[in-house]
Amino acid sequence: MLVLLPPSETKHPGGTGAPLDLGSLSTPQLTPIRARLVDALIELAVDVPAARAVLGLSAAKDDEVARNAALRTSPTLPAIERYTGVLYDALDVASLTRPQRRRAAGRLAIGSALFGVVRAEDPIPAYRLSAGSALPGLPSLRTLWRPVLSPALGATGELVVDLRSGAYADLAPVPEAISVQVLSERPDGTRAVVSHFNKAHKGRLARLLATTTAEPDTVVRLRALLRRAGLHVEHDGGRRLTLVV
């Protein structure tokens, strides 16, 4: 089972790993595009006002531009430790046992505008690039990533559970993936899409999927697993599950 997570705009700074080695990252067929984007971000960072405009940053966020300038020299962290925010707080990898961390390493992957996708233990530096960014002189990120990343994600031979946000899922759709919608149920029985707590619910779901000893290989078995865990999950008969909270 492969669980695809969205990245976060915010990243933990620093790290203890050696500088970025694109050749060491998983999914090596993505290396040429990764290298092209890394070089473009480093070049863009030379012109700080231009970098702010492209990345949608204010002057108060010039440290983000500096991070991009140092992409090839700054220290790295495992990807699952680099990203921050509500989803990653709920996932809480720091509290995993060693066996759970090993299972998570084999199951979790994170969508990335810069790297396409990274596995949980891939060592990456802090960076700033969003799915909607348009880098000068390059095609759109969707144009760059979709032809190579969609086939790569679809050819893993694993059950893919896609928890990415819309912008990142659009960079590289996986037609056979299982998506999860989170709905809240009101006292009168009506339902609404969860907005503020959507990431927290998906983070807890990712933790469950990353650490379970079960190996679901179909959407029906995945639904059964989630129901055994006490979650209210509905299946529309297709490739989508609905988590009702």
Side-chain angles (χ1 to χ4, degrees):
M1 176 170 54
L2 177 66
V3 183
L4 292 176
L5 304 178
S8 59
E9 294 289 0
T10 56
K11 320 282 192 304
H12 283 297
T16 57
L20 177 66
D21 175 8
L22 291 176
S24 73
L25 300 183
S26 59
T27 324
Q29 61 267 45
L30 306 182
T31 300
I33 299 175
R34 289 166 171 164
R36 193 175 178 187
L37 291 173
V38 166
D39 289 343
L41 277 182
I42 292 172
E43 181 178 352
L44 177 64
V46 173
D47 186 339
V48 175
R52 288 180 197 146
V54 168
L55 301 174
L57 300 173
S58 68
K61 295 288 186 179
D62 279 354
D63 60 323
E64 302 273 7
V65 179
R67 286 179 177 181
N68 284 351
L71 276 172
R72 290 193 179 274
T73 57
S74 58
T76 56
L77 279 174
I80 200 63
E81 298 176 19
R82 177 64 72 191
Y83 297 96
T84 65
V86 174
L87 186 151
Y88 292 90
D89 288 345
L91 176 58
D92 192 16
V93 294
S95 69
L96 298 181
T97 65
R98 287 184 180 179
Q100 288 175 331
R101 179 74 180 239
R102 285 194 295 270
R103 283 194 289 274
R107 291 177 178 165
L108 295 180
I110 303 156
S112 168
L114 178 57
F115 300 112
V117 67
V118 286
R119 290 282 187 154
E121 298 297 332
D122 280 346
I124 59 171
Y127 68 91
R128 184 62 177 253
L129 183 67
S130 303
S133 299
L135 293 174
L138 290 181
S140 71
L141 293 176
R142 177 179 172 178
T143 299
L144 286 170
W145 281 126
R146 183 172 286 204
V148 62
L149 184 53
S150 283
L153 293 174
T156 64
E158 301 170 287
L159 180 74
V160 178
V161 182
D162 195 347
L163 303 182
R164 293 176 298 172
S165 56
Y168 286 91
D170 190 54
L171 287 183
V174 185
E176 296 302 312
I178 298 166
S179 63
V180 179
Q181 179 183 37
V182 183
L183 297 180
S184 62
E185 190 164 77
R186 302 186 181 100
D188 64 2
T190 59
R191 294 176 176 180
V193 175
V194 173
S195 53
H196 181 68
F197 293 107
N198 178 61
K199 292 180 180 179
H201 288 297
K202 286 190 173 181
R204 288 190 284 271
L205 176 60
R207 182 183 175 93
L208 170 62
L209 296 178
T211 58
T212 180
T213 57
E215 293 287 354
D217 56 1
T218 67
V219 64
V220 172
R221 290 177 178 174
L222 176 61
R223 178 193 63 186
L225 166 66
L226 299 179
R227 287 181 173 177
R228 287 196 301 272
L231 300 180
H232 180 174
V233 178
E234 298 174 354
H235 179 213
D236 65 2
R239 308 296 297 177
R240 185 172 72 179
L241 294 178
T242 299
L243 174 62
V244 183
V245 297

